[in-house]
Amino acid sequence: DNNHNNNNNDDDVRQKKETNHNDDDDDNTVGVLSRVDTIIICMGTWHFTTEQCNAGGERNANGNTTTLGQQTELIQLLSEEFVSKRNYTVVWRTTPYCSGKAKNGTRVGYADTDWYSEQAMNTMDDIRRRSRGTSVNTRRSSGSGGGSRSIQYVDFGGAIRPRSFGPDRIEGDMNAHYGSQARLVLLQMITNRLQEHEEER
């Protein structure tokens, strides 16, 4: 009898685990995102400073899409699937800069990174204008943007540019990373944008 009861208990435990797993699968969430409501994201610095990824629409190493196409598709996916349908708060931060010199002596990825950041902010501004049915420029003087039902962004790259090159750079542990001062600036910018976002709701 004891063995029979123990077996029944084991079956109950397994059934509960399976039920919980199925409930999670049926939920309209993706993995770890089931426990968060805010996503902070950007394209990595390496996307814009390697030979496989170039501004101006050249195809990446896979040959099946451009880096600009990847960036635009990611922004559209975040806006449509996570902001509009699932009511997530999504904050896009523009990409900062690598230190060092490129082979031709110019700053590594400087022009490319600026170009991609501008394209990203334009894409998000266009999405917001379409959602509001307006042609008015929605970008703030601080370089942030977004609305209550659109993807948010902060222009961290623009803010940190003066401290990104030469002796003025806030050095991190490698040439694509920044030190703690720059990270605190980013946190403050994101906090300000999230606070503005809550006030707009």
Side-chain angles (χ1 to χ4, degrees), residues 124-190:
M124 288 177 278
D125 287 342
D126 288 343
I127 290 173
R128 188 184 185 196
R129 283 194 290 265
R130 287 198 302 270
S131 68
R132 297 178 61 185
T134 179
S135 59
V136 176
N137 184 17
T138 59
R139 192 177 304 179
R140 293 169 175 77
S141 58
S142 62
S144 64
S148 59
R149 295 293 293 169
S150 62
I151 189 170
Q152 316 296 307
Y153 64 84
V154 294
D155 187 12
F156 174 62
I160 205 64
R161 186 190 293 114
R163 298 297 307 276
S164 295
F165 301 103
D168 294 326
R169 183 177 176 88
I170 303 173
E171 293 286 353
D173 60 344
M174 59 186 300
N175 67 349
H177 293 173
Y178 288 78
S180 58
Q181 290 173 304
R183 295 174 185 273
L184 289 173
V185 169
L186 174 59
L187 290 174
Q188 187 63 62
M189 293 180 71
I190 292 173

Side-chain angles (χ1 to χ4, degrees), residues 83-110:
V83 177
S84 297
K85 293 183 180 180
R86 303 182 187 183
N87 203 30
Y88 280 76
T89 297
V90 179
V91 181
W92 181 281
R93 69 171 179 88
T94 59
T95 305
Y97 310 91
C98 281
S99 62
K101 299 286 185 179
K103 292 179 181 178
N104 60 3
T106 61
R107 290 172 174 171
V108 174
Y110 184 87

